[in-house]
Amino acid sequence: QVQLVESGGGLVQAGGSLRLSCAASGRAFTDYTMAWFRQAPGKEREFVTAMTWDGVHTYAESVKGRFTISRDNAQNTVDLQMNSLKPEDTAVYYCATGMIRYPRSSATAYDYWGQGTQVTVAS
């Protein structure tokens, strides 16, 4: 059974940084793309970033230049370094994975999801 566990959320002042981590378990993740999504109160879940097994990645325009995704295939982990945080980055952040060859931005492409971790950016 695939399990994704996020950690690292919290409260930070605008302009600050946070690092989220996601640990995956339950199977080998060769050829699996790992992704981060977020959902703010009253809004739909939105794509943040994704990275394939071999490092191909993409970002939402709203986080380009501020967020960085990285993954450790040996450890089955994916991290999200978030810098220059803004109040509009406040959301629950979800880790997701699916056996897809491209870093797709559609939530329906991903089969497995974590429970989410809250990120709150105070102005």
Side-chain angles (χ1 to χ4, degrees):
Q1 180 178 348
V2 174
Q3 187 173 22
L4 302 176
V5 179
E6 303 99 333
S7 61
L11 173 65
V12 64
Q13 293 294 315
S17 298
L18 278 175
R19 188 176 184 90
L20 306 183
S21 294
C22 173
S25 61
R27 62 157 296 132
F29 289 91
T30 305
D31 290 336
Y32 273 63
T33 290
M34 304 292 292
W36 289 95
F37 286 76
R38 67 187 182 185
Q39 188 166 17
K43 295 188 177 182
E44 293 187 355
R45 191 168 298 190
E46 67 172 354
F47 173 77
V48 176
T49 180
M51 179 178 280
T52 64
W53 172 261
D54 56 355
V56 178
H57 58 281
T58 189
Y59 296 95
E61 285 296 324
S62 59
V63 306
K64 274 185 181 178
R66 301 188 299 122
F67 290 12
T68 303
I69 188 172
S70 59
R71 66 185 286 176
D72 183 333
N73 291 332
Q75 298 294 322
N76 287 337
T77 59
V78 60
D79 290 350
L80 180 64
Q81 177 66 42
M82 305 185 294
N83 299 329
S84 302
L85 282 161
K86 305 175 181 180
E88 51 263 43
D89 294 318
T90 295
V92 177
Y93 283 70
Y94 296 91
C95 177
T97 189
M99 192 174 181
I100 51 180
R101 297 294 185 90
Y102 303 97
R104 294 180 62 183
S105 61
S106 171
T108 59
Y110 298 88
D111 301 308
Y112 304 101
W113 293 80
Q115 292 299 305
T117 185
Q118 176 70 46
V119 171
T120 303
V121 184
S123 57

